[in-house]
Amino acid sequence: MEKVLVAYFSASGTTAQKAKEIAKAVGSDLYEIRPEVPYTSDDLDWMNKNSRSSVEMNDKAFRPALANKDAHIEDYDVILLGFPIWWYVAPTIINSFLESYDFTGKKIVLFATSGGSGFGKTVDGLKASVSSGAKIKEGYLVRSSSDVDKMKKLLESL
């Protein structure tokens, strides 16, 4: 049996809730990806071009600092990686997380929460942040318990 980690970033709590549901459903460990400087509601104002999240997402090379780097990725075979969709892609803190560990030989399955947009080019935007020896795959937008069940079935099919 492969050892699974649900790692997630959540700015507002929505993704955290879904990550916890998935971790419980698949019986995995849970790890929160936290920024060194937490996001405020003003930081997340996507209507303001000068808000922190807008500035970060407009600079694809920007990498927010992580609060910690103790996920022990080496202990896991599969990482279910969750985040909110920002501007049709993963927040740049996900790149920070992926670039902080060696994912060689790991399977990374993405899941996301979104108010309306899909994954867009999320997988393509994250591939450069992991070694060529890692497999990264789009999972599901998780909005309901049936989506949690889909993630569980996807994990079982790997």
Side-chain angles (χ1 to χ4, degrees):
M1 179 93 182
E2 293 181 309
K3 189 156 183 194
V4 179
L5 174 67
V6 173
Y8 70 93
F9 164 70
S10 186
S12 67
T14 302
T15 306
Q17 177 188 348
K18 295 304 175 188
K20 290 172 186 173
E21 290 175 24
I22 291 170
K24 183 177 179 184
V26 301
S28 71
D29 293 336
L30 187 66
Y31 181 82
E32 182 180 8
I33 300 165
R34 294 183 301 112
E36 187 173 77
V37 177
Y39 291 90
T40 67
S41 58
D42 287 343
D43 291 337
L44 300 173
D45 182 2
W46 61 273
M47 299 287 286
N48 178 352
K49 291 181 182 182
N50 295 315
S51 73
R52 179 177 162 198
S53 60
S54 295
V55 170
E56 290 177 7
M57 294 307 290
N58 282 321
D59 180 358
K60 298 300 178 199
F62 188 84
R63 299 295 185 259
L66 299 171
N68 48 20
K69 295 180 184 175
D70 58 354
H72 300 288
I73 295 301
E74 68 278 3
D75 295 343
Y76 299 94
D77 305 299
V78 179
I79 291 79
L80 303 180
L81 181 57
F83 46 85
I85 295 288
W86 288 0
W87 290 265
Y88 304 98
V89 293
T92 54
I93 194 167
I94 298 302
N95 297 88
S96 298
F97 175 75
L98 291 172
E99 292 167 6
S100 295
Y101 299 95
D102 181 3
F103 287 90
T104 302
K106 309 294 181 190
K107 297 174 196 165
I108 304 167
V109 181
L110 308 177
F111 69 93
T113 56
S114 173
S117 62
F119 272 97
K121 296 183 179 183
T122 300
V123 173
D124 292 338
L126 295 177
K127 280 185 180 177
S129 293
V130 295
S131 66
S132 61
K135 296 177 184 173
I136 189 166
K137 174 183 176 115
E138 183 177 306
Y140 294 101
L141 289 177
V142 180
R143 295 186 174 111
S144 67
S145 58
S146 65
D147 295 326
V148 171
D149 291 339
K150 287 180 189 175
M151 282 298 297
K152 184 176 179 182
K153 287 178 183 166
L154 177 61
L155 177 61
E156 291 167 355
S157 73
L158 294 177

